[in-house]
C-alpha cells in the first residue's frame, strides 16, 4: 500500500491531502536493488515545504502530485540483488517511499546496527537519527556552549524531536539553566520532570515574555530556535550581549507564503545588532562528515540514560496523513513515528 500527495498552497495541511492506494511492487529486482519491508516511517516539518510546488529550499524537491510520497524510513531487507546488503539487514533512508514494502536502490540506503539503539529501531528516525544529529550539531556548531560559563539556554519547540534532545544536550554540555517553550502543560511537565529541564513555558497560556523573565533571571545566552515568529521575538528580546541563536527551524511560518528563513521584524533585527548576537542559518545536511561520529555519540548517551527519548507512535500506513497533520499542530510529544510492521 502506498501514499500519494496533492499540491496545496499556503494553508494548514489536512489528512485529506493524502490518499492510500493498493499497488503491486515489482515484479523484478534489478541489479543493485533490494526489496525492503518497512518497519517505521517518519513525518517531519520539512515535508510541509515539499507539499508546495516551490519548496522554498534548493535542496528540497516538491512531492509530485499523485506520486508516492517519500521521507525518512527504516526497515529490513527481504530480497537483495546487491553486494553490500543481505537479507535481514536493517537499513534506513531519507528517501523511503511511504509503502509497506518497496524496491530501493542500494545507493539510497544506509545499513544500521540495531545494537546502537538497544533494539529500539525507531530511534534511527529520531534521537539516534536526523533529529538527534540536528540537535547535537546545532548546539555544537552554532551554540558556543561553554562548561562553567554560567549560560542559560532556551529551546523553542522544546517537547519535539529536535528540541527535546537539544535541551538535554545543553544540560550535558554544561549550561546552568535550560528552559523549554512548548504548547501544553503536559509537555511542560514532561520537560521538567522527565527530561531534566530547569523550567518550561507553555506559550499557549499567558504572556511568554513574562514567564521567560521568571524562568531566566540572568537573561538568555543561547537560543535553540525551532519555531520563529512572535515566540522567537520574545526570546531574542531577553538575550544577553554576545549571545547565540541556533537557527534550526521556523515551523510557525511554514504554512505561510514567505521565503526561508522568514524576515525578522525591525525590533528583533535591531536587538540582534545592538547586542552582537549571532544568528547563522544551520542545516544538518551541511555536516555529513560529522554524522557518523554524531550517531555514535547519541547512541552512547541514549544507552547510558544521559539522554531520554520520547516518542509518539501511531500504527498503520493509512494513518500517515493524520500523523503528519497532528505533528504540525503539536499532537506529538517527542518524535512522531508511524509503525508500519513488526
Ligand atoms: P517536532 O517534533 O518539534 O514537531 C513540530 C512541533 O512544532 C509540534 O509538536 C509543535 O509543538 C510545534 N509547533 C507547530 N506549530 C507551531 C507554532 N505555530 N508555534 C510554535 N510551535 C509550533 O519537529 P522536529 O523536531 O522534527 O522539527 C523541529 C524544527 O526543527 C522544525 O522547525 C524543523 O523544520 C527544524 N529542523 C531543522 C533541521 C535543520 O537541519 N536545520 C533538521 C530537522 C528539523 P507545540 O505543542 O510546542 O506547539
Amino acid at each position: 500500500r502506498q501514499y500519494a500527495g496533492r499540491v496545496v498552497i499556503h494553508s494548514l495541511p489536512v489528512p485529506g491531502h493524502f490518499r492510500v492506494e493498493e499497488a503491486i511492487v515489482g515484479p523484478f529486482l534489478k541489479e543493485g536493488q533490494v526489496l525492503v519491508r518497512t518497519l517505521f516511517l517518519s513525518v517531519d516539518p520539512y515535508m510541509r515545504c515539499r507539499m508546495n510546488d516551490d519548496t522554498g529550499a534548493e535542496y528540497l524537491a516538491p512531492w509530485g502530485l499523485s506520486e508516492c510520497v517519500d521521507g525518512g524510513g527504516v526497515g529490513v531487507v527481504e530480497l537483495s540483488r546487491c553486494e553490500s546488503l543481505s537479507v535481514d539487514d536493517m537499513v534506513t533512508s531519507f528517501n523511503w517511499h511511504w509503502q509497506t514494502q518497496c524496491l530501493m536502490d542500494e545507493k539510497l540506503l544506509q545499513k544500521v546496527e540495531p545494537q546502537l539503539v538497544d533494539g529500539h529501531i525507531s530511534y534511527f528516525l529520531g534521537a539516534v537519527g536526523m533529529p538527534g544529529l540536528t540537535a547535537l550539531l546545532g548546539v555544537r556548531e552554532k551554540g558556543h556552549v561553554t562548561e562553567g560559563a554560567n549560560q542559560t539556554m532556551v529551546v523553542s519547540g522544546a517537547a519535539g524531536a529536535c528540541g527535546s534532545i537539544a535541551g538535554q544536550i545543553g544540560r550535558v554540555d554544561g549550561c546552568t539553566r535550560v528552559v523549554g517553550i512548548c504548547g501544553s502543560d503536559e509537555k511542560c511537565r514532561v520537560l521538567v520532570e522527565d527530561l531534566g529541564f530547569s523550567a518550561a513555558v507553555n506559550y499557549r497560556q499567558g504572556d511568554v515574555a513574562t514567564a521567560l523573565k521568571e524562568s531566566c533571571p540572568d537573561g538568555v545566552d543561547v537560543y535553540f530556535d525551532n519555531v520563529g515568529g512572535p515566540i522567537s521575538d520574545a526570546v531574542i528580546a531577553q538575550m544577553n550581549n554576545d549571545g547565540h541563536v541556533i537557527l534550526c527551524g521556523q515551523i510557525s511560518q511554514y504554512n505561510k507564503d514567505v521565503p526561508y528563513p522568514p524576515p525578522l521584524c525591525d525590533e528583533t533585527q535591531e536587538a540582534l545588532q545592538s547586542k552582537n548576537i549571532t544568528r547563522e542559518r544551520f542545516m544538518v545536511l551541511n555536516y555529513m562528515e560529522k554524522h557518523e561520529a554524531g550517531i555514535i555519540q547519541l547512541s552512547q548517551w541514549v544507552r547510558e540514560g544521559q539522554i531520554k527519548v520520547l516518542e509518539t507512535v501511531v500504527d498503520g500506513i493509512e494513518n500517515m496523513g493524520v500523523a503528519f497533520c497532528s505533528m504540525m499542530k503539536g499532537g506529538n510529544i517527542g518524535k512522531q513515528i508511524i509503525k508500519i510492521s513488526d
Side-chain angles (χ1 to χ4, degrees):
R1 290 208 281 178
Q2 66 180 24
Y3 249 78
R6 283 205 248 135
V7 174
V8 283
I9 313 289
H10 311 302
S11 61
L12 265 179
V14 295
H17 290 135
F18 299 86
R19 69 170 185 269
V20 194
E21 288 176 357
E22 297 283 342
I24 293 170
V25 170
F28 300 115
L29 277 186
K30 293 191 199 117
E31 195 60 44
Q33 277 192 327
V34 292
L35 175 74
V36 289
R37 178 163 53 86
T38 310
L39 296 177
F40 297 98
L41 291 172
S42 174
V43 285
D44 300 87
Y46 75 85
M47 292 173 169
R48 176 63 188 82
C49 308
R50 296 192 68 188
M51 294 175 85
N52 293 341
D53 274 340
D54 177 2
T55 65
E58 65 290 346
Y59 55 89
L60 282 182
W63 281 334
L65 187 64
S66 285
E67 280 174 15
C68 184
V69 172
D70 68 324
V74 61
V76 62
V77 175
E78 292 199 316
L79 291 171
S80 174
R81 277 198 67 190
C82 66
E83 296 277 297
S84 63
L85 296 171
S86 315
V87 170
D88 288 340
D89 279 350
M90 211 61 83
V91 285
T92 188
S93 174
F94 290 126
N95 303 100
W96 202 287
H97 284 154
W98 288 13
Q99 291 178 312
T100 51
Q101 281 184 306
C102 45
L103 293 181
M104 292 199 58
D105 288 342
E106 147 191 53
K107 59 181 187 307
L108 289 178
L109 291 166
Q110 280 170 285
K111 200 170 156 179
V112 290
E113 300 300 337
Q115 65 267 25
L116 282 180
V117 290
D118 283 341
H120 293 106
I121 300 300
S122 56
Y123 288 7
F124 286 123
L125 300 179
V128 188
M130 189 270 285
L133 286 171
T134 303
L136 174 64
L137 296 173
V139 171
R140 293 273 170 92
E141 298 293 325
K142 304 288 184 193
H144 302 260
V145 172
T146 314
E147 180 93 51
N150 196 25
Q151 288 165 310
T152 295
M153 175 191 272
V154 169
V155 182
S156 57
C162 297
S164 61
I165 306 294
Q168 295 183 80
I169 293 173
R171 187 198 66 224
V172 169
D173 277 0
C175 288
T176 308
R177 288 184 75 72
V178 177
V179 175
I181 306 177
C182 58
S184 78
D185 287 346
E186 170 61 4
K187 291 183 179 186
C188 288
R189 187 195 65 72
V190 167
L191 290 182
V192 175
E193 289 179 15
D194 300 342
L195 303 190
F197 280 58
S198 320
V201 171
N202 176 357
Y203 71 85
R204 292 187 205 270
Q205 224 166 52
D207 180 47
V208 173
T210 312
L212 266 182
K213 257 198 191 88
E214 277 168 26
S215 308
C216 307
D218 299 326
V220 179
D221 303 292
V222 183
Y223 173 40
F224 196 103
D225 187 5
N226 282 315
V227 308
I231 293 174
S232 295
D233 293 333
V235 179
I236 291 168
Q238 296 188 37
M239 286 186 75
N240 296 325
N241 287 341
D242 306 319
H244 302 283
V245 179
I246 302 158
L247 178 47
C248 178
Q250 305 275 282
I251 194 170
S252 72
Q253 309 297 305
Y254 290 176
N255 293 317
K256 297 182 185 162
D257 186 9
V258 289
Y260 187 87
L264 294 170
C265 66
D266 290 347
E267 217 175 332
T268 298
Q269 193 65 55
E270 161 62 24
L272 292 174
Q273 262 155 22
S274 65
K275 293 192 273 188
N276 189 35
I277 295 166
T278 66
R279 183 178 176 269
E280 290 164 10
R281 189 168 170 179
F282 169 75
M283 268 288 307
V284 68
L285 297 179
N286 289 344
Y287 300 89
M288 295 300 279
E289 74 289 356
K290 298 193 173 174
H291 284 199
E292 202 179 326
I295 290 292
I296 288 169
Q297 173 66 85
L298 291 159
S299 153
Q300 191 185 331
W301 277 332
V302 169
R303 285 190 294 167
E304 286 170 352
Q306 288 207 64
I307 286 195
K308 299 226 169 66
V309 181
L310 303 173
E311 289 184 328
T312 299
V313 183
V314 164
D315 265 317
I317 201 157
E318 64 281 7
N319 289 318
M320 291 300 296
V322 171
F324 171 70
C325 298
S326 165
M327 178 276 299
M328 290 299 294
K329 289 189 297 187
N332 57 309
I333 300 191
K335 173 70 191 146
Q336 179 69 60
I337 294 286
I338 302 84
K339 183 176 173 190
I340 306 300
S341 70
D342 287 321

